[in-house]
Amino acid sequence: MLKSLFLFDMTFWLYLAALALYIAYLFVRRPVMQFAPAGHPVEAYDDRDEGWAGQLGQVATLVTVFGWIVNSGALFMRAYERMQLSGTFAPWSNQFEAMAYVSWAIILGYVLLEMRYRIKAIGAFVVGIGFIAMGAASLLPYRYQTAEPLVPALNSYWIYIHVSVTLTSYAAFAMAGGLGLMYLFKERAERKGKSGGIAAAFPDLETIDELGYKAIMIGFPLLAFGIILGAMWANYAWGGYWSWDPKETWSLIVWLIYGAYIHARMTRGWEGRRAAIYAIFGFLMVIFCFWGVNFLLSGLHAYA
Amino acid sequence: MDGEPELALQPPPAPKPRASAQGFGWEEVSREVVEFFASIKLAMFLFLILAVTATIGTVIQQNERPETYIKEYGEQAYRWFTRLGLTDVYHTWWFTSLLGLLCVNSLTCFYKRFPAVWRSMQQDKVNVSLSFIKNMKHSAEISAAGTKEYIGERLVRFLAEKGYRVLAKNEASGVSLYATKGIMGRVGAHMAHLSATVIVLGGLIGSLWGFQDFGVCMEGQTYHIPRGNFDLHVDKFWIDYYENGAVKSYNSTLTVIDQGSPALTKTITVNDPLVYKNIWFYQSSYGDAWDRIEVARLNIKDKETDKVLATVDLEWQKEKVIENLGLKLTATDFVADFAFNSSEKKVYSKTVEHANPALRLALNERGTLEATPWVFYHYPDLFEIQGSKYSFELVGYQPKKFTGLQITRDPGVNIVWIGSTMIVVGITLSSFIYHRRLWAKIVPQHDGVILHIGGNTHKNQIDFQREFKRLIQHVETKSA
Ligand code: HEM
């Protein structure tokens, strides 16, 4: 019974190992990046990883991918257990499962990003956030971790799509938050005039900035879609598409915050440092929406 | 226009003609007004101020009774709450105005900027100056062998393969080329801008012409729905449980009776309402009725010895005959929280809580004694029945369940869904498709050509940079 819990545990340790490897990867010495006159790097980022760095990076990626596979297995297992127990399978039906799903989505997003842009240094930040999500989930008391059957209001096919879409948007915002943090690190190192050391492993500021923006541009429509799916569900379950319940209000607040961000991007001076700080702030609001509301505020959504 | 976006769709950016100092006519005023309402700064302000004010209602409980606020925050604070509308933030005039402003803002933005997007879908400038190309964010200069026509054709074919719309002009001085892709991203953004108003409009229609009622309904009863001009009969109500005893679902079978005859029967449950004539019936809650029961268990005792002579289960309003004691008993009334109105001489239930349950019996003892005593669950020896040999003790009862139905009509809901679709489609388009434009000039030299090429995009610089680099490489390798 509840074999999924074992797999979730294993996911936690694998992500921890991956995070340690990515951090170690940052500290390996490497030559300073060569810049073309226009300020753009001449080569792909990983091409500079010789010897140790390259091997560490590869192991880190492998462990991450393996962790993600175990994470997927845990979610599948949980879905199966739910099916046996109560006939619904959504493996994101309580706070614990939701967090395990978010970390699954963060890591998936990271792996895709690494495949496309080949910048392993991001792993230390983004895999870090995925790990923290998984870790916070496993810190929840045991009774939150088990697959209790759903209360009547949640027992609906809407849970499959509404919850997963919303949680995926959170993962995108988490990614943006991690990139924001990375931007600030790199910028600090540059201000201090250090071009070697850890900072050498980082991509240039503009790339970090753009990737962060991209993550938000993925999260923003997903959150809009998630909110609207929630409204449709509410229209079936509660008899009104919008009732200003704290959870839906907070997801709207988060959406408005990112709405301000994407418009701010179009005005001068809202890239770079300011955008990075804003992305971190936005992510903190997401955390509140995801956690704080469930535990601090009361409302219709407080099932978890 | 400091801080305004670099969004100029018409290259090269034309310097804005300044209004003359004396001219302060209608035109200037209206231009200023449009400028103000179309500004992104206003949009950012509105987004953030809405976010901040929306938090209020999640921290302060909304629409509670005054006592609740006074107890929690004190009287002084409560007076401020009502003055500012903090007990019902989302329906205050100022919150609604902020939403209205956001609509005006996004509509004005659409009005001011969409025409340029539209024009650029039809046609764009092919011929631009060399310095315009050189000053673009991404630009390059390549010498290549071959004629200008040859290089031009290569470039056109390559860009067309990549999904660009390409316009080229061949002149003696050189080939000018313009290529664009992803204008739908911009159209999507403007779709999102219109959607805000559509959604707010739908909400407005719903709040003006819709209604929301709540009905506490009993199995077997028929209720008139005045706003729909038909009746609703509750055939059945029941609860399903999981194996571990948790509630799995609760369900009511309802029959709509229109003009005397049954029109529709459906079992509703949470997440599955009944809809008739645009009125929706939702299974919203259930609970214990406060004015009737299913069955009650009574101990009949000998008044003298206090010995229990019999234990009987009385069904609601059904006479029970207990032969050996010469008793006929009926449970006729029930209140969950006993109270007595002395001026009207009436018993009623003070609250819906089962705080002081009491059952009224109709009693016939040996055909001679008739009485209608109240029997209290918590106070078994409160009243004595004059002349009776017995005393009665209410040891338990099973309350009747009521089904809580929410009854709603919202004529605006479909408009809200249209707006929602627009916002999701619009934002998705604008997120995943980005508008990029390239200009090139191929100038013949004595031993080949020089290709000047430049491009820009309003976002997604890194992907565009990769694409641009690949384009340059393509030209270089082909000409080398
Ligand atoms: C009401 C909700 C609004 C939503 C959901 C919304 C959404 C969007 C989205 C998704 C984009 C595309 C962003 C990008 O391409 O990076 C966009 C662009 C833009 N928004 Fe909004 N917006 C809203 C309100 C406003 C308002 C009130 C203004 C007022 C100035 C505004 C001005 C703009 C401008 C100028 C653009 C660029 C348009 C273009 O690319 O041609 N938006 N908006």
Side-chain angles (χ1 to χ4, degrees), chain B residues 97-271:
Chain B
S97 310
L98 286 175
L99 281 178
L101 262 178
L102 187 68
C103 293
V104 172
N105 192 189
S106 49
L107 286 181
T108 319
C109 169
F110 179 85
Y111 163 79
K112 199 181 145 206
R113 295 177 210 258
F114 188 68
V117 174
W118 185 250
R119 273 197 304 277
S120 120
M121 279 168 83
Q122 322 290 325
Q123 201 197 354
D124 238 322
K125 262 207 179 112
V126 177
N127 220 337
V128 292
S129 69
L130 252 184
S131 67
F132 176 73
I133 292 181
K134 283 183 178 159
N135 282 331
M136 299 195 88
K137 187 167 171 94
H138 308 270
S139 74
E141 222 177 283
I142 307 155
S143 315
T147 62
K148 62 181 166 52
E149 285 81 11
Y150 173 75
I151 299 289
E153 217 166 287
R154 286 222 89 82
L155 207 55
V156 169
R157 195 164 312 137
F158 181 75
L159 287 169
E161 260 168 35
K162 292 255 167 223
Y164 278 80
R165 194 166 64 88
V166 190
L167 300 174
K169 215 189 303 179
N170 193 359
E171 289 161 335
S173 60
V175 172
S176 305
L177 193 142
Y178 166 73
T180 179
K181 181 175 171 183
I183 189 81
M184 281 318 283
R186 290 217 130 113
V187 174
H190 286 293
M191 196 167 171
H193 292 152
L194 289 182
S195 70
T197 308
V198 176
I199 291 175
V200 169
L201 213 64
L204 194 68
I205 289 172
S207 66
L208 287 179
W209 291 293
F211 68 85
Q212 229 181 56
D213 283 337
F214 186 78
V216 169
C217 304
M218 298 294 168
E219 212 173 79
Q221 307 278 74
T222 303
Y223 299 87
H224 185 60
I225 312 296
R227 304 215 219 199
N229 202 16
F230 56 80
D231 294 318
L232 187 75
H233 182 79
V234 181
D235 304 338
K236 202 165 172 237
F237 171 76
W238 76 98
I239 302 172
D240 291 328
Y241 296 91
Y242 288 111
E243 267 169 39
N244 70 357
V247 174
K248 182 176 186 181
S249 72
Y250 36 106
N251 326 272
S252 309
T253 305
L254 306 177
T255 298
V256 172
I257 297 166
D258 203 351
Q259 290 170 350
S261 55
L264 174 66
T265 299
K266 178 170 179 181
T267 296
I268 65 167
T269 177
V270 184
N271 286 313

Side-chain angles (χ1 to χ4, degrees), chain A residues 116-117 149-150 153 156 210-211 214 217 228 233 235-239 241 244 249-250 256 266-267 297-298, chain B residues 3 5 47-48 55 58 61 90 203 212 242 248 271 282 406 410 416 423 427 431 459-463 466:
Chain A
R116 185 169 162 83
Y117 295 100
L150 293 174
S156 149
E210 277 288 328
L211 287 175
K214 251 184 122 136
M217 287 308 282
I228 280 158
W233 187 359
N235 194 46
Y236 270 88
W238 299 336
Y241 52 86
W244 294 106
T249 306
W250 263 96
L256 288 167
M266 292 185 273
T267 61
L297 306 173
S298 60
Chain B
F47 273 120
L48 289 178
T55 56
T58 67
Q61 293 261 321
Y90 307 114
Q212 229 181 56
Y242 288 111
K248 182 176 186 181
N271 286 313
Y282 296 90
Q406 176 145 327
D410 189 342
V416 171
I423 207 167
I427 298 179
S431 292
K459 60 178 185 194
N460 206 353
Q461 305 293 347
I462 39 174
D463 282 354
R466 283 154 65 108

Side-chain angles (χ1 to χ4, degrees), chain B residues 182-473:
Chain B
I183 189 81
M184 281 318 283
R186 290 217 130 113
V187 174
H190 286 293
M191 196 167 171
H193 292 152
L194 289 182
S195 70
T197 308
V198 176
I199 291 175
V200 169
L201 213 64
L204 194 68
I205 289 172
S207 66
L208 287 179
W209 291 293
F211 68 85
Q212 229 181 56
D213 283 337
F214 186 78
V216 169
C217 304
M218 298 294 168
E219 212 173 79
Q221 307 278 74
T222 303
Y223 299 87
H224 185 60
I225 312 296
R227 304 215 219 199
N229 202 16
F230 56 80
D231 294 318
L232 187 75
H233 182 79
V234 181
D235 304 338
K236 202 165 172 237
F237 171 76
W238 76 98
I239 302 172
D240 291 328
Y241 296 91
Y242 288 111
E243 267 169 39
N244 70 357
V247 174
K248 182 176 186 181
S249 72
Y250 36 106
N251 326 272
S252 309
T253 305
L254 306 177
T255 298
V256 172
I257 297 166
D258 203 351
Q259 290 170 350
S261 55
L264 174 66
T265 299
K266 178 170 179 181
T267 296
I268 65 167
T269 177
V270 184
N271 286 313
D272 190 14
L274 175 149
V275 186
Y276 187 73
K277 288 193 172 165
N278 283 326
I279 298 185
W280 294 50
F281 296 89
Y282 296 90
Q283 181 71 70
S284 165
S285 65
Y286 64 89
D288 294 340
W290 54 87
D291 61 350
R292 68 196 68 196
I293 55 168
E294 234 26 283
V295 60
R297 178 163 292 178
L298 283 179
N299 277 344
I300 304 170
K301 294 189 197 168
D302 187 300
K303 208 191 273 177
E304 241 71 297
T305 63
D306 209 31
K307 240 177 60 195
V308 178
L309 302 172
T311 300
V312 294
D313 289 340
L314 284 187
E315 277 183 54
W316 180 243
Q317 294 187 342
K318 270 205 195 115
E319 192 181 64
K320 181 143 191 147
V321 182
I322 303 133
E323 294 277 3
N324 57 345
L325 301 179
L327 269 175
K328 285 181 189 165
L329 281 175
T330 318
T332 57
D333 292 280
F334 175 82
V335 287
D337 192 3
F338 187 90
F340 186 66
N341 182 328
S342 52
S343 58
E344 284 180 40
K345 299 246 182 312
K346 261 176 74 175
V347 168
Y348 65 99
S349 190
K350 205 159 50 189
T351 65
V352 297
E353 306 299 330
H354 286 233
N356 184 13
L359 182 73
R360 186 184 215 170
L361 299 174
L363 167 119
N364 183 315
E365 199 170 322
R366 295 198 172 74
T368 55
L369 179 73
E370 301 246 355
T372 55
W374 280 97
V375 187
F376 290 82
Y377 181 68
H378 290 304
Y379 311 100
D381 300 318
L382 202 58
F383 298 115
E384 187 187 306
I385 305 160
Q386 297 289 323
S388 169
K389 278 171 65 178
Y390 309 116
S391 71
F392 300 93
E393 188 186 11
L394 179 59
V395 287
Y397 60 92
Q398 196 177 27
K400 185 114 182 137
K401 298 277 185 214
F402 68 78
T403 169
L405 299 182
Q406 176 145 327
I407 306 162
T408 301
R409 186 173 64 204
D410 189 342
V413 73
N414 285 326
I415 297 174
V416 171
W417 299 145
I418 292 172
S420 305
T421 311
M422 284 169 67
I423 207 167
V424 171
V425 171
I427 298 179
T428 308
L429 283 178
S430 86
S431 292
F432 294 103
I433 301 175
Y434 60 103
H435 187 208
R436 48 213 121 146
R437 284 171 304 170
L438 292 165
W439 282 272
K441 265 190 186 309
I442 305 168
V443 184
Q445 304 287 306
H446 58 274
D447 58 342
V449 294
I450 290 188
L451 168 67
H452 302 269
I453 185 162
N456 71 10
T457 172
H458 63 306
K459 60 178 185 194
N460 206 353
Q461 305 293 347
I462 39 174
D463 282 354
F464 186 65
Q465 185 191 317
R466 283 154 65 108
E467 190 175 78
F468 193 75
K469 214 154 80 180
R470 243 176 273 137
L471 172 70
I472 306 293
Q473 274 166 2

Side-chain angles (χ1 to χ4, degrees), chain A residues 214-285:
Chain A
K214 251 184 122 136
I216 288 175
M217 287 308 282
I218 290 170
F220 189 64
L222 279 174
L223 184 57
F225 191 38
I227 291 174
I228 280 158
L229 288 167
M232 293 177 130
W233 187 359
N235 194 46
Y236 270 88
W238 299 336
Y241 52 86
W242 198 262
S243 48
W244 294 106
D245 130 275
K247 190 80 176 186
E248 66 189 18
T249 306
W250 263 96
S251 62
L252 178 69
I253 290 167
V254 166
W255 187 80
L256 288 167
I257 286 170
Y258 284 107
Y261 172 90
I262 65 160
H263 286 90
R265 280 298 290 211
M266 292 185 273
T267 61
R268 230 162 275 132
W270 271 93
E271 316 96 338
R273 184 182 165 75
R274 250 207 259 184
I277 293 171
Y278 198 102
I280 295 168
F281 163 74
F283 179 49
L284 292 177
M285 293 295 111

